Amino acid sequence: MSKKSKALVLFSGGQDSTTCLAQALHDFPGEVEAVAINYGQRHQIELKQAQIIAKLAKVPFQIIDFPLLSQVTKNSLTHHIPIEHKEGQLPSTFVPGRNLLFLNMAAIIAYEKNIRHIYTGVCQTDYSGYPDCRDNFIKSAEQTLNLAMETQVEIHTPLMFLTKAETILLMQNLGKLDWYQHTHTCYNGKRPACGTCPACILRLKGFKETEIIDPLDYEVQ
Ligand code: ZN
């Protein structure tokens, strides 16, 4: 089956997936759509922000409801569990199997819509301890999905080996830095962002290294 050069972005409304959206539009102008997954994340605000950014980017956008994940896992993103990262353990914000399920969803949508390229904002450089953000996992998932559906889907991970600072510079080069004001990163689900949770700290550190001002509003920084 021949595939048109279309791209689907796994979009969460966060800084990384927003950068991926800009990159996908650069690579496949006019042929990009975005999908967000509602997996029962406590901060539904990210879905709202995703919608705002997709509108700004003028791409078709859909939200897939997938409540199963929060029924079978307990973590800080789906439940009221304190955010912590104990030595030798995965962080409490880790959602087991999430990226594999998301990629599976994306591949199914891609199959149905005849899309060949999937973009995801995973990154192993500033790796927060998530095994499903690593390059070896993505390569393996790509192979598995293609075997499962007899497709030639390509999973693009433009941020895989970039630092947070390099991701910001990439977005600057793509000319879409202003989209960052609508992104949601804060683990505390705050707008303005709290500025003190691990996600806010990592984001602010990246901006500090580039000397670019983060267009997002913060309570403290
Ligand atoms: Zn925060």
Side-chain angles (χ1 to χ4, degrees), residues 119-140:
Y119 280 72
T120 174
V122 295
C123 164
Q124 74 173 36
T125 313
D126 278 333
Y127 162 61
S128 316
Y130 299 149
D132 57 359
C133 288
R134 293 183 293 206
D135 192 52
N136 58 1
F137 159 71
I138 295 294
K139 288 200 163 65
S140 160

Side-chain angles (χ1 to χ4, degrees), residues 6 15 41 43 94:
K6 284 186 176 180
Q15 186 187 1
Q41 55 270 61
H43 305 315
F94 176 62

Side-chain angles (χ1 to χ4, degrees), residues 41 48-49 73 79 114 122:
Q41 55 270 61
K48 195 174 138 203
Q49 295 308 118
T73 69
H79 292 76
N114 215 18
V122 295

Side-chain angles (χ1 to χ4, degrees), residues 39 67-74 79:
Y39 63 96
L68 177 70
L69 199 50
S70 62
Q71 287 172 26
V72 295
T73 69
K74 279 211 167 9
H79 292 76

Side-chain angles (χ1 to χ4, degrees), residues 116-163:
R116 182 168 181 144
H117 304 276
I118 293 172
Y119 280 72
T120 174
V122 295
C123 164
Q124 74 173 36
T125 313
D126 278 333
Y127 162 61
S128 316
Y130 299 149
D132 57 359
C133 288
R134 293 183 293 206
D135 192 52
N136 58 1
F137 159 71
I138 295 294
K139 288 200 163 65
S140 160
E142 181 183 87
Q143 191 178 22
T144 297
L145 292 167
N146 283 323
L147 284 170
M149 289 182 249
E150 218 163 80
T151 48
Q152 283 105 40
V153 158
E154 289 173 39
I155 303 177
H156 298 250
T157 54
L159 314 185
M160 182 59 79
F161 301 108
L162 303 187
T163 62

Side-chain angles (χ1 to χ4, degrees), residues 21-33:
L21 181 63
Q23 182 68 59
L25 278 164
H26 173 81
D27 299 341
F28 298 98
E31 299 294 342
V32 177
E33 49 188 277

